[in-house]
Structure formats: C-alpha cells, structure tokens
Amino acid sequence: MEELFSKVLQVNVRCRDCEERKAKIRVTIELQFTTSPVHKRDLLVRLTDDSDPYFLFNLLISEEDFQSLKVQQGLLIDFTSFPQKFIDLLNLCCSEQESDNPRFLLHLSCQSAVLEGPANLSVVETNAFKHLNHLSLRLAQGSDKHVRDFLAACLSSLKAEQRSLEVKLKKTEEDLSRQLTYAQQTLSEKTKELDKLRSDWTVQTSSLTSQHLLELQSEREKTVELQSRLQQQAEQLRQELESVHEKSSQQLQSRLTELEASCRELTERKYKNESSIRDLKIKLVGAEEECQRSKQQVLSLRRENGALDTKVHENERLVSQLQMRVAVLEQEVKDKDQLMFCTKEVLEATQQQKESVEENAESKELQLRKLESTVTSLSEELIKANGIIKKLQGEVRGLVGKIKVKNTVTVSQEKVLQETSDKLLAAEKELQRAQQQLRTKDEQVSNLKDHLETTVQKLTESKEVLKTNENVIGWLNKQLNEKQLSRKLPESLESPLAFPSAAGLRVQFYPHLGQPAVGPAVADVTPADQLAVQPANQQMRDSAGLDSKYFERRDDSIPIYGLSANQSGPPQRNKPSAYFSA
C-alpha cells in the first residue's frame, strides 16, 4: 500500500432538508497492490474527521470500475494518470480555500437528513456563468467492522509513532544532560579565570596610576619651561613681522600705482581688441558661408567620383570580357594553324605519291610523257585553276585507255588532292577572317585600355584635388575656431600695418576644373607694409601646423578663396589661381 495524498481540506457538506455547512475533513488517497491470484492495482479514497473517529467514508476504484466511471463522466485520461490528476484538483481546492471567492470547491452531499449512507464527493469549479463539475465520486459509509479496522490501524500507527517519539526523547535528554555537565564545568573554569584576571587588573591599575602621576608632574614642569621659551620667541617674531609688514605695505602701495597705470592701458587695449573682434566676427560669417558652399561642392565632387568609379568598374568588366574573347580567338587560331599544318602534311604526302606514280608511268609508257608533263604542271597550279584540272582529267581518261589501272589510281589521287586543296583554301579563308577579327579586337582592346588609363588618371587627379581641398578646408575651420574662441589677439595684430594684411587673407573655392581663378582683392600696400606683413603671415602659417606644399602655386589646382580683404581697395582680376594669395 502506497499513500499518495493525505491533507485536511475544507468541504461543503450538504444533507437533505439541512443547510449547507463547512467542515474540515481529511482526504486520503492510497494505491493498493494485490499480487494473488492476479496482479492488480486499486485506488482507495478515504474521508475521515480528526475530531470524530466514527466518521469514515471509503471508495475502492479498480481498473474495471474506472472504465465505467470514465464512460459515465466523460473523462479523457487513463487509470495510471487518474490519481495524479485527482491530486492536482485537490491541491487547487486546498490553495483556493483561504480566499473569499474560491474557484475550486469540494462538495459532499448525502440524501439522508443525517450524514449517513452513501455520499457523493464532487470537485466543482465556479465562475460567473455556471458551476462546472469536474469529478463526482460516490463513497460508501464505513461499517462497524471498517471503523474498527480503521481505528485499530490508527491506534497502531499512533503507538508506533509514540514509541519512536519516546526513543527520540530519551536521546535528546541524554544529549542535553551531557551538554549541561560540560557547560557547568566550563563555567566553573571561566569563573576561576575571571577572578584571577580581576586581581591582576587591580595590581596593574595601581602601579600604572602611580607611574602616570610621576610622569604627569614631570611633563607639567617641562610645559612651564617650554611656555616661557615660546613667549620670548613669539615676542621677537612679532617685532620682526611688524617691520616686514611695514616694508611690504610700502612695496604694495607702489605696486598698486603701477597696476592702476597698466590697468588703464589694458582697458584701452581691450576696447581696441573688441573693435577688431567685431570686424573678425563679420568676416567669420562670410567665411562660414563660403565653407558651406565648399562643402556642397565637395559633395557634388564625391557624387561625380562615385559615378566615375562605376564607369571604371564597367570598363574593367568589359575589358575582362574582351580578354576572354581574345583568348578564345587565339585558341581558335592555334587550332586552325594546327589544321593547316596537318593539311600541308597530307598535301606533301599526296604530292610525293603523285610523283612516284608519274615516274612509274614514264618508265612504263613513253607515249604518255607529254600527258604526265601536263599533269605535273596542272598539279603545281592546282590552287589557281581547278576547272582546267577537271578538263585535263577527262582528256587523261580518254588517252589512257590501255592502262586503266594506273589511270584509276591517278584519278583517285587527284580527287584526294582536289579535296585537300579545297579544304586548304577554306582553312586559309577562315584563318584570314580570324586574323582580321583578331586585329579589330586588338584595336578595340588598345582603345579601351587608353580610355581606361585616361579615366584612371582623371580619377586620381580628382582625388588628389579633393584631398587637398579637404585639407585646406579643415585648416580654415581650425583657424576660424581659434580666432573665434581667443580673447586676446597676438601682438602682431596691434600694429596698424600688419592688421589689414593679416585680415586680407581670402580663400576661394571653384568647383569647375580648368577655369582660371579670380585673385583676391587686396588693398594698396606700400613696400614697407609688405615687409611688415611677411613675418606675420609666416608666423601664422608656422603656428597653424599646415604643410608648406599647400601654399605653393599650382597650374592644375582647384582655385580657392575665403576671408575677404579690405573692401576699400580695388579688386585685381586675371591672376593665376593658388591656394592663398600673397
């Protein structure tokens, strides 16, 4: 016997002509095994009340009984999984019994007024629409014999449990008594140690207090001597500090007058710098607009560069296809050459055979020498006069009646010779045609290679120009940011001659390659002013960290212009383009 489930559950008890009440009933599910005479498994469902020992309802379900129960209630499970599913339903009822509106309930109904006789145990699921009855089992009330057997089994289990509890109690008493004796021994030892430590502590405290009193008295004497010495030193230090303070106050007063004069100079310089900053801000706005334009032009150049890349890829693909076709044609030409070589060998062999036949004919028939001479002449000029050879063959057939065997051999040799000559002419024509096609393809490939080299050269030039433009634009952005963020201008801007020339730098950007750039407008400057401007410009270039190659003039470069010069000077036209104007 194997116990599968045993819990106290809340069950709604309903009798005839009585109100429904709730009771705590223990539901036990056991699985019984019988081996004689047949191996069987039976499921036992038992209802008991812990407070009422005479309350007993039993139901023994065999496999045959379960089949009828399955058909009656429309169950979808077999006998092996029925106990677990039933236990799951009971666990759902146990979890829902503490809630106010439980979803799963257990109902125990009886037809009699008192809970006697057979009773129905049902598992019901409640919702807002209806009550669903998942399972209904009909249990029989236990007879006196069953109650006695149940009570005897309970009594024996309780006695066995009592005996086990008594054994456990004796073991725990022994363990506790042993622990108590050990704790008492340790307590006595610890109390002895505590008394000893207390006596040692009192002796040490008395000795330490006497020692500390002596040390405290000696320290007091030392502090009195130190205090008198420090008072003397403090008085001397106070006198020295007063003299130093008077001297420093006089120096600070003179320093204050100097700072006030420098402050007035700095305020004047500040006003000048603010006016120059306003001018630079105006020029910065113009430079930013030019920078935006140059960025748009860079984007257009990048798009053109992408289009050129696609064209280059297409040309490369076309060149690869043409190279493949050239390789195929070269292979065909090789095959044709090999075929011509074979036909030439066959022709030579036939010519040798023909010569041997003619020699035999001359030795046998002296009368046919004239005819053989005509045949040899016709064999030499066979390619140019095929029709004449046919007529001579007819004459040879008529004249050589007596030597039919030799004539038949010569006719067969001439037919083979004619076929080989025809094949040779056709092969020569095909060879000429293939050579002509190869020459045309070579011309096309050379033209495409020239076009590809020109496009690649243009692409590299455009990439170099684009790179230089990006470098120059980055450098200009750096210069503009530094001038916008700086609050104090360099000392080179303070002179009236160097300031206009430093502000006269203009950078122009022209998107069209090959067009002449219009030079920057620069105000009229005297040679002395130019000499003053050159060190300032050189200093700005060195401080910017830009390579000197970007300041060199180039004939194939893209013109650039930027910061505008003084508007009062007349513009200069038709000057060569450069990255920066002097």
PDB file of all heavy atoms in Angstrom, residues 446-470:
ATOM      1  N   SER A 446      43.047  47.969 -77.310  1.00  0.00           N
ATOM      2  CA  SER A 446      44.002  49.069 -77.110  1.00  0.00           C
ATOM      3  C   SER A 446      43.284  50.385 -76.869  1.00  0.00           C
ATOM      4  O   SER A 446      43.662  51.177 -75.995  1.00  0.00           O
ATOM      5  CB  SER A 446      44.920  49.173 -78.324  1.00  0.00           C
ATOM      6  OG  SER A 446      44.150  49.478 -79.482  1.00  0.00           O
ATOM      7  N   ASN A 447      42.178  50.605 -77.643  1.00  0.00           N
ATOM      8  CA  ASN A 447      41.401  51.839 -77.430  1.00  0.00           C
ATOM      9  C   ASN A 447      40.804  51.871 -76.029  1.00  0.00           C
ATOM     10  O   ASN A 447      40.820  52.907 -75.349  1.00  0.00           O
ATOM     11  CB  ASN A 447      40.294  51.941 -78.477  1.00  0.00           C
ATOM     12  CG  ASN A 447      40.854  52.156 -79.880  1.00  0.00           C
ATOM     13  OD1 ASN A 447      41.910  52.778 -80.036  1.00  0.00           O
ATOM     14  ND2 ASN A 447      40.185  51.636 -80.893  1.00  0.00           N
ATOM     15  N   LEU A 448      40.230  50.722 -75.606  1.00  0.00           N
ATOM     16  CA  LEU A 448      39.642  50.676 -74.266  1.00  0.00           C
ATOM     17  C   LEU A 448      40.706  50.867 -73.186  1.00  0.00           C
ATOM     18  O   LEU A 448      40.458  51.509 -72.169  1.00  0.00           O
ATOM     19  CB  LEU A 448      38.928  49.342 -74.062  1.00  0.00           C
ATOM     20  CG  LEU A 448      37.625  49.165 -74.846  1.00  0.00           C
ATOM     21  CD1 LEU A 448      37.118  47.737 -74.705  1.00  0.00           C
ATOM     22  CD2 LEU A 448      36.566  50.131 -74.332  1.00  0.00           C
ATOM     23  N   LYS A 449      41.902  50.291 -73.400  1.00  0.00           N
ATOM     24  CA  LYS A 449      42.963  50.487 -72.413  1.00  0.00           C
ATOM     25  C   LYS A 449      43.374  51.945 -72.329  1.00  0.00           C
ATOM     26  O   LYS A 449      43.584  52.489 -71.233  1.00  0.00           O
ATOM     27  CB  LYS A 449      44.165  49.624 -72.782  1.00  0.00           C
ATOM     28  CG  LYS A 449      43.971  48.155 -72.474  1.00  0.00           C
ATOM     29  CD  LYS A 449      45.217  47.362 -72.811  1.00  0.00           C
ATOM     30  CE  LYS A 449      45.056  45.884 -72.466  1.00  0.00           C
ATOM     31  NZ  LYS A 449      46.249  45.101 -72.820  1.00  0.00           N
ATOM     32  N   ASP A 450      43.479  52.597 -73.492  1.00  0.00           N
ATOM     33  CA  ASP A 450      43.827  54.034 -73.469  1.00  0.00           C
ATOM     34  C   ASP A 450      42.760  54.832 -72.738  1.00  0.00           C
ATOM     35  O   ASP A 450      43.055  55.718 -71.921  1.00  0.00           O
ATOM     36  CB  ASP A 450      43.987  54.538 -74.901  1.00  0.00           C
ATOM     37  CG  ASP A 450      45.169  53.884 -75.608  1.00  0.00           C
ATOM     38  OD1 ASP A 450      46.114  53.428 -74.897  1.00  0.00           O
ATOM     39  OD2 ASP A 450      45.155  53.824 -76.843  1.00  0.00           O
ATOM     40  N   HIS A 451      41.468  54.506 -73.057  1.00  0.00           N
ATOM     41  CA  HIS A 451      40.370  55.224 -72.393  1.00  0.00           C
ATOM     42  C   HIS A 451      40.383  54.965 -70.884  1.00  0.00           C
ATOM     43  O   HIS A 451      40.156  55.879 -70.079  1.00  0.00           O
ATOM     44  CB  HIS A 451      39.044  54.767 -72.999  1.00  0.00           C
ATOM     45  CG  HIS A 451      37.852  55.497 -72.436  1.00  0.00           C
ATOM     46  ND1 HIS A 451      37.658  56.860 -72.604  1.00  0.00           N
ATOM     47  CD2 HIS A 451      36.816  55.050 -71.683  1.00  0.00           C
ATOM     48  CE1 HIS A 451      36.554  57.228 -71.996  1.00  0.00           C
ATOM     49  NE2 HIS A 451      36.019  56.123 -71.428  1.00  0.00           N
ATOM     50  N   LEU A 452      40.669  53.693 -70.491  1.00  0.00           N
ATOM     51  CA  LEU A 452      40.712  53.363 -69.068  1.00  0.00           C
ATOM     52  C   LEU A 452      41.854  54.102 -68.375  1.00  0.00           C
ATOM     53  O   LEU A 452      41.708  54.610 -67.257  1.00  0.00           O
ATOM     54  CB  LEU A 452      40.878  51.856 -68.909  1.00  0.00           C
ATOM     55  CG  LEU A 452      40.962  51.337 -67.485  1.00  0.00           C
ATOM     56  CD1 LEU A 452      39.672  51.645 -66.738  1.00  0.00           C
ATOM     57  CD2 LEU A 452      41.212  49.832 -67.478  1.00  0.00           C
ATOM     58  N   GLU A 453      43.021  54.175 -69.038  1.00  0.00           N
ATOM     59  CA  GLU A 453      44.143  54.887 -68.416  1.00  0.00           C
ATOM     60  C   GLU A 453      43.828  56.372 -68.241  1.00  0.00           C
ATOM     61  O   GLU A 453      44.139  56.968 -67.210  1.00  0.00           O
ATOM     62  CB  GLU A 453      45.382  54.727 -69.294  1.00  0.00           C
ATOM     63  CG  GLU A 453      45.960  53.313 -69.258  1.00  0.00           C
ATOM     64  CD  GLU A 453      47.141  53.152 -70.210  1.00  0.00           C
ATOM     65  OE1 GLU A 453      47.440  54.131 -70.932  1.00  0.00           O
ATOM     66  OE2 GLU A 453      47.737  52.072 -70.213  1.00  0.00           O
ATOM     67  N   THR A 454      43.173  56.953 -69.258  1.00  0.00           N
ATOM     68  CA  THR A 454      42.811  58.380 -69.129  1.00  0.00           C
ATOM     69  C   THR A 454      41.814  58.589 -67.994  1.00  0.00           C
ATOM     70  O   THR A 454      41.943  59.531 -67.211  1.00  0.00           O
ATOM     71  CB  THR A 454      42.228  58.877 -70.452  1.00  0.00           C
ATOM     72  OG1 THR A 454      41.141  58.020 -70.850  1.00  0.00           O
ATOM     73  CG2 THR A 454      43.268  58.883 -71.550  1.00  0.00           C
ATOM     74  N   THR A 455      40.799  57.689 -67.912  1.00  0.00           N
ATOM     75  CA  THR A 455      39.803  57.831 -66.834  1.00  0.00           C
ATOM     76  C   THR A 455      40.441  57.633 -65.469  1.00  0.00           C
ATOM     77  O   THR A 455      40.130  58.342 -64.512  1.00  0.00           O
ATOM     78  CB  THR A 455      38.664  56.820 -67.031  1.00  0.00           C
ATOM     79  OG1 THR A 455      39.224  55.507 -67.176  1.00  0.00           O
ATOM     80  CG2 THR A 455      37.837  57.159 -68.241  1.00  0.00           C
ATOM     81  N   VAL A 456      41.347  56.634 -65.344  1.00  0.00           N
ATOM     82  CA  VAL A 456      42.018  56.419 -64.046  1.00  0.00           C
ATOM     83  C   VAL A 456      42.890  57.605 -63.685  1.00  0.00           C
ATOM     84  O   VAL A 456      42.946  58.045 -62.532  1.00  0.00           O
ATOM     85  CB  VAL A 456      42.852  55.117 -64.124  1.00  0.00           C
ATOM     86  CG1 VAL A 456      43.772  55.003 -62.907  1.00  0.00           C
ATOM     87  CG2 VAL A 456      41.938  53.904 -64.190  1.00  0.00           C
ATOM     88  N   GLN A 457      43.567  58.185 -64.703  1.00  0.00           N
ATOM     89  CA  GLN A 457      44.403  59.355 -64.435  1.00  0.00           C
ATOM     90  C   GLN A 457      43.558  60.529 -63.968  1.00  0.00           C
ATOM     91  O   GLN A 457      43.893  61.235 -63.016  1.00  0.00           O
ATOM     92  CB  GLN A 457      45.172  59.714 -65.711  1.00  0.00           C
ATOM     93  CG  GLN A 457      46.223  60.821 -65.507  1.00  0.00           C
ATOM     94  CD  GLN A 457      47.020  61.065 -66.759  1.00  0.00           C
ATOM     95  OE1 GLN A 457      46.744  60.444 -67.788  1.00  0.00           O
ATOM     96  NE2 GLN A 457      47.983  61.962 -66.679  1.00  0.00           N
ATOM     97  N   LYS A 458      42.390  60.721 -64.662  1.00  0.00           N
ATOM     98  CA  LYS A 458      41.493  61.806 -64.230  1.00  0.00           C
ATOM     99  C   LYS A 458      40.972  61.550 -62.820  1.00  0.00           C
ATOM    100  O   LYS A 458      40.849  62.476 -62.023  1.00  0.00           O
ATOM    101  CB  LYS A 458      40.327  61.914 -65.213  1.00  0.00           C
ATOM    102  CG  LYS A 458      40.727  62.462 -66.570  1.00  0.00           C
ATOM    103  CD  LYS A 458      39.512  62.553 -67.473  1.00  0.00           C
ATOM    104  CE  LYS A 458      39.888  63.086 -68.878  1.00  0.00           C
ATOM    105  NZ  LYS A 458      38.710  63.147 -69.773  1.00  0.00           N
ATOM    106  N   LEU A 459      40.653  60.279 -62.512  1.00  0.00           N
ATOM    107  CA  LEU A 459      40.139  59.956 -61.191  1.00  0.00           C
ATOM    108  C   LEU A 459      41.175  60.232 -60.106  1.00  0.00           C
ATOM    109  O   LEU A 459      40.864  60.805 -59.056  1.00  0.00           O
ATOM    110  CB  LEU A 459      39.718  58.484 -61.158  1.00  0.00           C
ATOM    111  CG  LEU A 459      39.131  57.977 -59.845  1.00  0.00           C
ATOM    112  CD1 LEU A 459      37.858  58.734 -59.517  1.00  0.00           C
ATOM    113  CD2 LEU A 459      38.841  56.482 -59.936  1.00  0.00           C
ATOM    114  N   THR A 460      42.423  59.830 -60.360  1.00  0.00           N
ATOM    115  CA  THR A 460      43.474  60.100 -59.367  1.00  0.00           C
ATOM    116  C   THR A 460      43.702  61.596 -59.183  1.00  0.00           C
ATOM    117  O   THR A 460      43.880  62.083 -58.060  1.00  0.00           O
ATOM    118  CB  THR A 460      44.781  59.431 -59.808  1.00  0.00           C
ATOM    119  OG1 THR A 460      45.096  59.849 -61.148  1.00  0.00           O
ATOM    120  CG2 THR A 460      44.653  57.914 -59.780  1.00  0.00           C
ATOM    121  N   GLU A 461      43.662  62.333 -60.323  1.00  0.00           N
ATOM    122  CA  GLU A 461      43.832  63.785 -60.197  1.00  0.00           C
ATOM    123  C   GLU A 461      42.700  64.394 -59.388  1.00  0.00           C
ATOM    124  O   GLU A 461      42.919  65.262 -58.529  1.00  0.00           O
ATOM    125  CB  GLU A 461      43.888  64.409 -61.596  1.00  0.00           C
ATOM    126  CG  GLU A 461      45.175  64.078 -62.359  1.00  0.00           C
ATOM    127  CD  GLU A 461      45.159  64.643 -63.775  1.00  0.00           C
ATOM    128  OE1 GLU A 461      44.122  65.224 -64.135  1.00  0.00           O
ATOM    129  OE2 GLU A 461      46.166  64.516 -64.489  1.00  0.00           O
ATOM    130  N   SER A 462      41.450  63.938 -59.676  1.00  0.00           N
ATOM    131  CA  SER A 462      40.311  64.491 -58.917  1.00  0.00           C
ATOM    132  C   SER A 462      40.398  64.120 -57.444  1.00  0.00           C
ATOM    133  O   SER A 462      40.059  64.901 -56.561  1.00  0.00           O
ATOM    134  CB  SER A 462      39.001  63.967 -59.503  1.00  0.00           C
ATOM    135  OG  SER A 462      38.949  62.557 -59.400  1.00  0.00           O
ATOM    136  N   LYS A 463      40.893  62.881 -57.135  1.00  0.00           N
ATOM    137  CA  LYS A 463      41.042  62.502 -55.728  1.00  0.00           C
ATOM    138  C   LYS A 463      42.088  63.355 -55.024  1.00  0.00           C
ATOM    139  O   LYS A 463      41.898  63.784 -53.890  1.00  0.00           O
ATOM    140  CB  LYS A 463      41.435  61.026 -55.632  1.00  0.00           C
ATOM    141  CG  LYS A 463      40.283  60.067 -55.901  1.00  0.00           C
ATOM    142  CD  LYS A 463      40.722  58.621 -55.738  1.00  0.00           C
ATOM    143  CE  LYS A 463      39.556  57.671 -55.972  1.00  0.00           C
ATOM    144  NZ  LYS A 463      39.978  56.260 -55.840  1.00  0.00           N
ATOM    145  N   GLU A 464      43.224  63.599 -55.722  1.00  0.00           N
ATOM    146  CA  GLU A 464      44.252  64.446 -55.113  1.00  0.00           C
ATOM    147  C   GLU A 464      43.740  65.857 -54.866  1.00  0.00           C
ATOM    148  O   GLU A 464      43.976  66.460 -53.814  1.00  0.00           O
ATOM    149  CB  GLU A 464      45.475  64.483 -56.024  1.00  0.00           C
ATOM    150  CG  GLU A 464      46.240  63.161 -56.080  1.00  0.00           C
ATOM    151  CD  GLU A 464      47.409  63.216 -57.044  1.00  0.00           C
ATOM    152  OE1 GLU A 464      47.550  64.275 -57.695  1.00  0.00           O
ATOM    153  OE2 GLU A 464      48.151  62.220 -57.140  1.00  0.00           O
ATOM    154  N   VAL A 465      43.005  66.380 -55.872  1.00  0.00           N
ATOM    155  CA  VAL A 465      42.466  67.747 -55.712  1.00  0.00           C
ATOM    156  C   VAL A 465      41.468  67.781 -54.570  1.00  0.00           C
ATOM    157  O   VAL A 465      41.454  68.712 -53.750  1.00  0.00           O
ATOM    158  CB  VAL A 465      41.813  68.186 -57.046  1.00  0.00           C
ATOM    159  CG1 VAL A 465      41.058  69.491 -56.859  1.00  0.00           C
ATOM    160  CG2 VAL A 465      42.889  68.371 -58.113  1.00  0.00           C
ATOM    161  N   LEU A 466      40.607  66.731 -54.482  1.00  0.00           N
ATOM    162  CA  LEU A 466      39.625  66.684 -53.399  1.00  0.00           C
ATOM    163  C   LEU A 466      40.303  66.577 -52.041  1.00  0.00           C
ATOM    164  O   LEU A 466      39.888  67.217 -51.064  1.00  0.00           O
ATOM    165  CB  LEU A 466      38.699  65.478 -53.620  1.00  0.00           C
ATOM    166  CG  LEU A 466      37.567  65.297 -52.627  1.00  0.00           C
ATOM    167  CD1 LEU A 466      36.633  66.498 -52.674  1.00  0.00           C
ATOM    168  CD2 LEU A 466      36.787  64.033 -52.941  1.00  0.00           C
ATOM    169  N   LYS A 467      41.402  65.803 -51.972  1.00  0.00           N
ATOM    170  CA  LYS A 467      42.109  65.673 -50.703  1.00  0.00           C
ATOM    171  C   LYS A 467      42.732  66.996 -50.278  1.00  0.00           C
ATOM    172  O   LYS A 467      42.665  67.404 -49.119  1.00  0.00           O
ATOM    173  CB  LYS A 467      43.180  64.591 -50.857  1.00  0.00           C
ATOM    174  CG  LYS A 467      43.905  64.260 -49.550  1.00  0.00           C
ATOM    175  CD  LYS A 467      44.857  63.121 -49.758  1.00  0.00           C
ATOM    176  CE  LYS A 467      45.581  62.780 -48.457  1.00  0.00           C
ATOM    177  NZ  LYS A 467      46.539  61.671 -48.657  1.00  0.00           N
ATOM    178  N   THR A 468      43.345  67.692 -51.248  1.00  0.00           N
ATOM    179  CA  THR A 468      43.945  68.990 -50.912  1.00  0.00           C
ATOM    180  C   THR A 468      42.874  69.989 -50.478  1.00  0.00           C
ATOM    181  O   THR A 468      43.073  70.768 -49.539  1.00  0.00           O
ATOM    182  CB  THR A 468      44.706  69.532 -52.117  1.00  0.00           C
ATOM    183  OG1 THR A 468      43.841  69.557 -53.261  1.00  0.00           O
ATOM    184  CG2 THR A 468      45.910  68.663 -52.444  1.00  0.00           C
ATOM    185  N   ASN A 469      41.704  69.944 -51.167  1.00  0.00           N
ATOM    186  CA  ASN A 469      40.615  70.855 -50.772  1.00  0.00           C
ATOM    187  C   ASN A 469      40.130  70.550 -49.368  1.00  0.00           C
ATOM    188  O   ASN A 469      39.859  71.464 -48.575  1.00  0.00           O
ATOM    189  CB  ASN A 469      39.454  70.729 -51.768  1.00  0.00           C
ATOM    190  CG  ASN A 469      39.813  71.302 -53.130  1.00  0.00           C
ATOM    191  OD1 ASN A 469      40.696  72.159 -53.231  1.00  0.00           O
ATOM    192  ND2 ASN A 469      39.168  70.833 -54.178  1.00  0.00           N
ATOM    193  N   GLU A 470      40.002  69.255 -49.035  1.00  0.00           N
ATOM    194  CA  GLU A 470      39.562  68.910 -47.680  1.00  0.00           C
ATOM    195  C   GLU A 470      40.579  69.361 -46.642  1.00  0.00           C
ATOM    196  O   GLU A 470      40.215  69.841 -45.572  1.00  0.00           O
ATOM    197  CB  GLU A 470      39.338  67.398 -47.595  1.00  0.00           C
ATOM    198  CG  GLU A 470      38.106  66.931 -48.357  1.00  0.00           C
ATOM    199  CD  GLU A 470      37.940  65.420 -48.287  1.00  0.00           C
ATOM    200  OE1 GLU A 470      38.874  64.776 -47.775  1.00  0.00           O
ATOM    201  OE2 GLU A 470      36.904  64.920 -48.743  1.00  0.00           O
TER     202      GLU A 470
END
